Amino acid sequence: MTAIEKAGAGMGISEEVMIEIKNMHKWYGEFHVLKNINLTIYKGERIVVCGPSGSGKSTMIRCINRLEEHQRGHIIVDGTELTDDLKHIDQIRREVGMVFQHFNLFPHLTVLENCCLALIWVRKMPRKEAEAISMGFLEKVKIPEQAKKYPGQLSGGQQQRVAIARSLCMNPNIMLFDEPTSALDPEMIKEVLDTMIELAESGMTMICVTHEMGFAKTVANRVIFMDGGEIIEENDPESFFENPQHDRTKLFLSQIM
Amino acid sequence: MKEFRDPHPDLPAPSTSVGLLGWLRGNLFSSVGNSLLTIFACYIIYLLIVPAFDWALLNADWVGETRNDCTSGGACWVFVGARFDQFMYGFYPESEYWRINLAFGLLAVLLILLNIKQIPKKGWLGAGTLVLYPIVAFYLFSGGVLGLDVVETSKWGGLSLTLVLSGVGIVASLPIGIMLALGRRSEMPIVRAVCVVFIEFWRGVPLITVLFMSSVMLPLFLPEGTTFDKLLRAMIGIVLFESAYMAEVVRGGLAAIPKGQFEAAKALGLKYWQSMSLIILPQALKLVIPGIVNTFIALFKDTTLVLIIGLFDLLTTVEAGFKDSNWLGYALEGYAFAALVYWVFCFSMSRYSQRLERKLQTGHAR
């Protein structure tokens, strides 16, 4: 069995709710970006969010760790509601890891320092211990030998794997991926996807905005299609790709497949 | 078929296309017009350099005590030699010169130690230099403790005053400028408004006005009998003025940091001050090292303006020297000496900043 096939095999999803989004709205000035989003995500789910550009999919997942503020409705992450309360925001950010399209590694720090930073300053861990944990995750993403280099010296795929390791160091319960492979050259996409597949196998709750439909088919247990700031359709991958219900979904799939 | 097993070895390139000759031909004499321009330029340089060289070095007088020793018609460096102590120390009592020497010697030693790679725990040494050194230097200069005689600030002068003013200005204006820049980009409206008003006010006023106000007008507003050291007032004026400039330089650096860096720091759970001091400022300050050093150099030279409130910095001391009836007529030597000293300091700052930029280069490009 290849890694991809293994990942597809049924993985435990518990009854425990990790993220609950209820009647959530967001505006950029006059522009209504997110309209009445309702979504419940259980522990261990691998969710792929897709849709045309400008459909609000990135904005939605960025609301989950408050990189964007929502104006109406509720977002509850692992029992904590996101409000203006800074304590809640800090608590949620500590539990939610995020991987960005453009990696956003800190270019003035080495790979190892990138990984250690939050452990030392947010988790208040001694440097030695933080370095040991970081090296562990760098080994998991298969680049321990790059630990002393600066991000600018690595390829795009390697940088993105470092970014994943950096998030994992904080031992998050939830991982958000915001188009993690969109800025990569084609030959580097696979190494990043393989890392994500391994992560999915470990039971991590993942929400992934991506255009990689192969990944969606094999790893996701649920696919969400967004357009115009709304969730148009959500279904298990097989039904979603074989039997889309909405015209907009059909149009989108016909364009990208 | 003929075989070419042993090719003829390459001949060396003709001597006219390599080395100095080749370079000259390629760059200076590539056409008739260029050749004429080169010859003309050389002639101009000859006209300027030779007399200057003659005046300053060949025909100059170097040793002596009074103007009567200057007989050769060139520069009279005897003047600079005779007044050298005053140029360096102003009116500081001669018996106490060692205190100034000790203060600057100590600083030099600390700076050298800070630049030696092998020394461990340099963070502590740096912090100690920043916090303790100014206190030590202040008491060495002004005295009043440990049996040191008190020396009024009005007696400070010359190069040591210039260095005190610019040193304080540099060390204080950078952190204040950083705070103002962060404040100006803050999301809190009141903080932002205060910073904008501060920066725009101080940037909009000439430094001369600031110094005048601090020495002439400020005492009018203070209660009768309050004395407030003139040097201290000038220092505060310079620091506030320069920190407004510094703020704008730093703000330029902050604006150049991609939004993703702020977001990644937030997503990792870093708090505002943590992400600023660990992620954003190290990158932003590195980007604007040229601008920061530019401001430092401008500040160093701006300290000459304190002459208008009666402080005797290096330039004023030199001017006072050649206005002395014993030395009338040696203004050129005085200005040349002052210019050389300023140039040495400014050029050193510039070189140091270039070294720093290279050292901090970590392959920024993404």
Side-chain angles (χ1 to χ4, degrees):
Chain A
M1 267 205 305
T2 65
I4 289 184
E5 280 165 334
K6 258 196 302 190
M11 281 178 282
I13 294 166
S14 78
E15 297 283 294
E16 194 184 328
V17 176
M18 279 309 257
I19 301 172
E20 193 163 18
I21 303 177
K22 281 190 288 196
N23 308 323
M24 191 257 280
H25 292 259
K26 173 168 180 60
W27 286 265
Y28 281 132
E30 292 287 294
F31 180 55
H32 201 172
V33 241
L34 292 176
K35 299 168 190 160
N36 199 27
I37 303 286
N38 283 288
L39 187 62
T40 304
I41 296 170
Y42 296 93
K43 192 175 169 151
E45 278 204 283
R46 287 93 47 204
I47 296 198
V48 162
V49 184
C50 60
S53 65
S55 59
K57 50 198 194 305
S58 283
T59 310
M60 183 184 79
I61 72 162
R62 289 156 59 88
C63 282
I64 294 173
N65 65 350
R66 196 71 163 191
L67 289 185
E68 305 281 356
E69 243 174 85
H70 60 285
Q71 276 91 32
R72 204 197 289 170
H74 304 275
I75 301 176
I76 298 153
V77 181
D78 205 8
T80 310
E81 171 150 18
L82 268 178
T83 56
D84 286 333
D85 191 335
L86 287 175
K87 270 197 192 128
H88 288 189
I89 297 174
D90 282 339
Q91 194 187 332
I92 286 170
R93 282 182 183 159
R94 253 177 270 172
E95 268 181 55
V96 180
M98 186 159 202
V99 175
F100 299 87
Q101 180 177 3
H102 295 289
F103 330 134
N104 298 352
L105 294 177
F106 306 130
H108 62 301
L109 300 176
T110 63
V111 164
L112 187 63
E113 287 166 341
N114 263 278
C115 294
C116 290
L117 189 82
L119 288 175
I120 293 170
W121 292 94
V122 180
R123 294 245 190 263
K124 312 287 179 207
M125 197 178 271
R127 178 172 289 273
K128 281 260 156 57
E129 205 178 318
E131 282 181 357
I133 290 178
S134 302
M135 280 313 289
F137 281 104
L138 286 174
E139 265 156 39
K140 233 175 208 166
V141 300
K142 302 192 180 67
I143 35 176
E145 72 281 2
Q146 313 284 5
K148 298 280 173 220
K149 286 194 186 167
Y150 287 96
Q153 297 166 296
L154 306 188
S155 73
Q158 290 173 325
Q159 289 193 44
Q160 192 62 298
R161 284 186 283 151
V162 172
I164 293 172
R166 178 176 73 178
S167 289
L168 292 177
C169 284
M170 291 296 282
N171 193 21
N173 294 327
I174 300 161
M175 284 289 285
L176 308 175
F177 291 85
D178 189 1
E179 305 205 24
T181 55
S182 302
L184 294 175
D185 293 335
E187 74 270 23
M188 293 170 187
I189 290 178
K190 188 174 174 299
E191 63 185 62
V192 171
L193 288 182
D194 284 346
T195 310
M196 290 167 64
I197 289 165
E198 260 176 49
L199 191 58
E201 283 171 342
S202 73
M204 176 69 75
T205 310
M206 292 165 67
I207 306 173
C208 186
V209 173
T210 184
H211 298 292
E212 292 297 324
M213 290 304 136
F215 177 80
K217 277 182 193 167
T218 49
V219 178
N221 68 301
R222 195 150 44 123
V223 180
I224 289 171
F225 175 71
M226 289 183 72
D227 192 11
E230 293 171 285
I231 295 181
I232 304 289
E233 186 166 345
E234 55 173 296
N235 217 331
D236 63 276
E238 201 174 321
S239 325
F240 181 84
F241 289 107
E242 301 305 322
N243 190 16
Q245 301 295 310
H246 280 262
D247 290 343
R248 278 196 269 182
T249 320
K250 285 175 194 162
L251 179 68
F252 176 74
L253 287 175
S254 72
Q255 281 165 339
I256 62 159
M257 300 299 270
Chain B
M1 211 165 111
K2 198 176 171 189
E3 283 183 35
F4 294 94
R5 283 239 180 97
D6 267 333
H8 190 287
D10 290 344
L11 286 170
S15 64
T16 48
S17 66
V18 292
L20 181 64
L21 264 180
W23 184 87
L24 284 176
R25 265 174 81 100
N27 294 292
L28 299 179
F29 297 99
S30 57
S31 68
V32 178
N34 267 353
S35 305
L36 285 177
L37 274 178
T38 302
I39 293 166
F40 182 66
C42 285
Y43 181 63
I44 298 279
I45 292 171
Y46 170 81
L47 283 186
L48 290 174
I49 294 286
V50 170
F53 190 73
D54 277 351
W55 177 80
L57 300 173
L58 289 186
N59 288 335
D61 290 293
W62 297 89
V63 281
E65 302 273 302
T66 66
R67 62 182 302 143
N68 297 330
D69 296 313
C70 290
T71 49
S72 56
C76 180
W77 299 122
V78 176
F79 160 59
V80 172
R83 289 295 183 131
F84 190 77
D85 281 353
Q86 216 181 68
F87 293 172
M88 294 297 113
Y89 307 103
F91 304 113
Y92 212 81
E94 202 171 337
S95 58
E96 308 293 322
Y97 282 175
W98 64 272
R99 281 156 57 177
I100 295 184
N101 294 343
L102 179 62
F104 284 117
L106 192 60
L107 182 64
V109 170
L110 286 170
L111 289 181
I112 290 170
L113 285 181
L114 281 171
N115 275 293
I116 295 176
K117 269 196 194 126
Q118 288 78 12
I119 290 182
K121 306 262 181 206
K122 270 209 297 229
W124 289 106
L125 186 62
T129 307
L130 268 182
V131 177
L132 295 179
Y133 176 74
I135 301 172
V136 173
F138 172 77
Y139 282 114
L140 273 175
F141 267 79
S142 62
V145 286
L146 300 174
L148 293 175
D149 288 343
V150 174
V151 180
E152 302 285 332
T153 55
S154 55
K155 290 188 178 160
W156 302 12
L159 180 64
S160 45
L161 180 73
T162 296
L163 291 179
V164 166
L165 279 171
S166 48
V168 170
I170 284 172
V171 171
S173 68
L174 184 60
I176 299 178
I178 290 173
M179 288 300 144
L180 286 169
L182 290 176
R184 193 165 185 172
R185 288 170 60 87
S186 163
E187 284 168 8
M188 289 177 274
I190 294 175
V191 173
R192 193 170 54 224
V194 168
C195 291
V196 169
V197 168
F198 182 96
I199 292 169
E200 296 304 337
F201 173 78
W202 289 99
R203 270 206 315 170
V205 187
L207 183 54
I208 291 203
T209 316
V210 174
L211 293 172
F212 255 132
M213 301 245 280
S214 75
S215 88
V216 182
M217 284 182 63
L218 198 63
L220 296 180
F221 299 123
L222 293 174
E224 195 104 11
T226 330
T227 50
F228 195 174
D229 191 78
K230 188 154 74 173
L231 178 61
L232 181 64
R233 277 179 282 159
M235 264 180 194
I236 293 174
I238 289 175
V239 166
L240 295 181
F241 181 85
E242 297 294 343
S243 54
Y245 276 88
M246 196 56 76
E248 290 298 279
V249 172
V250 174
R251 191 165 69 97
L254 292 174
I257 303 299
K259 204 167 145 243
Q261 295 287 312
F262 294 88
E263 289 178 348
K266 273 189 198 172
L268 283 172
L270 293 171
K271 303 230 167 55
Y272 175 83
W273 286 111
Q274 290 176 332
S275 54
M276 282 302 155
S277 59
L278 297 167
I279 310 295
I280 307 301
L281 281 175
Q283 295 183 59
L285 293 181
K286 182 161 65 179
L287 281 177
V288 294
I289 287 175
I292 291 176
V293 174
N294 208 16
T295 312
F296 283 168
I297 288 176
L299 184 156
F300 186 75
K301 295 186 290 189
D302 280 350
T303 56
T304 52
L305 291 174
V306 296
L307 80 98
I308 60 141
I309 57 169
L311 293 174
F312 278 73
D313 75 316
L314 173 63
L315 191 63
T316 321
T317 322
V318 169
E319 280 183 334
F322 63 67
K323 280 176 185 155
D324 177 350
S325 56
N326 291 327
W327 293 103
L328 274 178
Y330 293 118
L332 195 52
E333 284 84 349
Y335 283 130
F337 173 73
L340 180 71
V341 173
Y342 280 105
W343 182 82
V344 165
F345 277 97
C346 295
F347 185 65
S348 317
M349 280 194 259
S350 158
R351 297 301 300 183
Y352 181 72
S353 85
Q354 285 172 23
R355 216 194 93 190
L356 204 60
E357 271 180 78
R358 271 200 304 278
K359 201 169 103 184
L360 297 176
Q361 184 60 39
T362 60
H364 236 91
R366 293 196 298 179

